[in-house]
Amino acid sequence: MKFCSECAAPLREMIPEGDNRPRYVCSACDTIHYQNPRVVTGCLVTAGRQVLLCRRAIEPRLGYWTIPAGFMENGETMREGALRETWEEAAAEVEDVALYRLFDIPHINQVYVFFRGELAGGYGIGPESLEVRLFDEQDIPWSELAFPIVTDVLTDYFSDRQGDEYPVRVSKPSPLWAKQTQHKRS
Ligand code: ZN
């Protein structure tokens, strides 16, 4: 961030009075431009014993498989965002929606929230997907998953499914995530 979105003057980085960390502050109008983590919301869609995955038609990780997810928009709830992303990527509606996973990813300033829900009706191929498919556990393309977080959510899900209990958990990124690409604004 270099220029003020209010008045277009240059910004400087400084700790405002009463604060304890550097912020971008406008040199002209004194507006403080706070930067805070962004929320990515998604939905693990199940259909009986199968899970729905989308093959990405966009970068990053074009051609790799993922769970419907994306940045939360202003004016919507996390749940609404997850269902919107599911509709946009897979033309799918879900029912019995429940909160499932929260991941803090402080090194990229993001929070991921995943719901899970059962497919209600059919599905299609949204504009951000090349292909949408239901997979049995043994057919999951583990080496072609788009993001480590997808691997984590699916691994947790198949593990939880053995006991038929799906507790909400807060997770941290595993070391495997290191420099792996996550969602970016396209
Ligand atoms: Zn300004």
Side-chain angles (χ1 to χ4, degrees):
M1 195 178 279
K2 284 187 179 156
F3 298 101
C4 179
S5 54
E6 299 293 317
C7 75
L11 299 176
R12 60 208 158 111
E13 209 174 348
M14 58 172 286
I15 300 176
E17 198 180 325
D19 205 338
N20 57 13
R21 63 180 74 205
R23 310 286 183 187
Y24 291 106
V25 181
C26 179
S27 56
C29 74
D30 290 333
T31 298
I32 302 170
H33 297 271
Y34 294 97
Q35 296 191 299
N36 299 97
R38 294 204 290 193
V39 177
V40 176
T41 181
C43 190
L44 174 64
V45 180
T46 56
R49 299 289 290 174
Q50 298 184 303
V51 299
L52 181 141
L53 297 178
C54 306
R55 203 152 73 81
R56 291 171 62 82
I58 53 172
E59 295 289 358
R61 304 293 280 165
L62 190 153
Y64 288 81
W65 293 92
T66 192
I67 295 169
F71 288 103
M72 193 175 170
E73 298 285 2
N74 292 339
E76 69 184 6
T77 65
M78 280 194 277
R79 187 180 186 280
E80 287 166 349
L83 301 187
R84 175 184 50 74
E85 289 289 340
T86 304
W87 178 256
E88 288 174 0
E89 296 183 21
E93 292 191 25
V94 292
E95 55 192 9
D96 300 330
V97 179
L99 183 61
Y100 186 47
R101 275 290 174 283
L102 189 154
F103 291 87
D104 289 304
I105 320 180
H107 69 276
I108 55 170
N109 305 319
Q110 291 183 1
V111 175
Y112 274 65
V113 176
F114 285 99
F115 294 80
R116 59 186 184 86
E118 182 74 8
L119 186 65
Y123 61 91
I125 302 173
E128 294 183 358
S129 303
L130 294 170
E131 190 181 353
V132 175
R133 260 194 62 185
L134 292 171
F135 288 89
D136 289 308
E137 183 177 359
Q138 65 266 26
D139 298 327
I140 297 288
W142 293 104
S143 63
E144 295 167 41
L145 297 180
F147 309 107
I149 200 164
V150 177
T151 307
D152 283 10
V153 171
L154 289 174
T155 302
D156 285 353
Y157 174 73
F158 291 125
S159 170
D160 286 347
R161 194 169 75 177
Q162 291 180 10
D164 198 28
E165 282 189 37
Y166 306 91
V168 174
R169 289 196 198 100
V170 180
S171 310
K172 280 186 185 160
S174 68
L176 292 172
W177 292 26
K179 299 280 182 185
Q180 175 65 279
T181 313
Q182 296 294 330
H183 278 83
K184 284 182 189 153
R185 283 276 184 210
S186 48

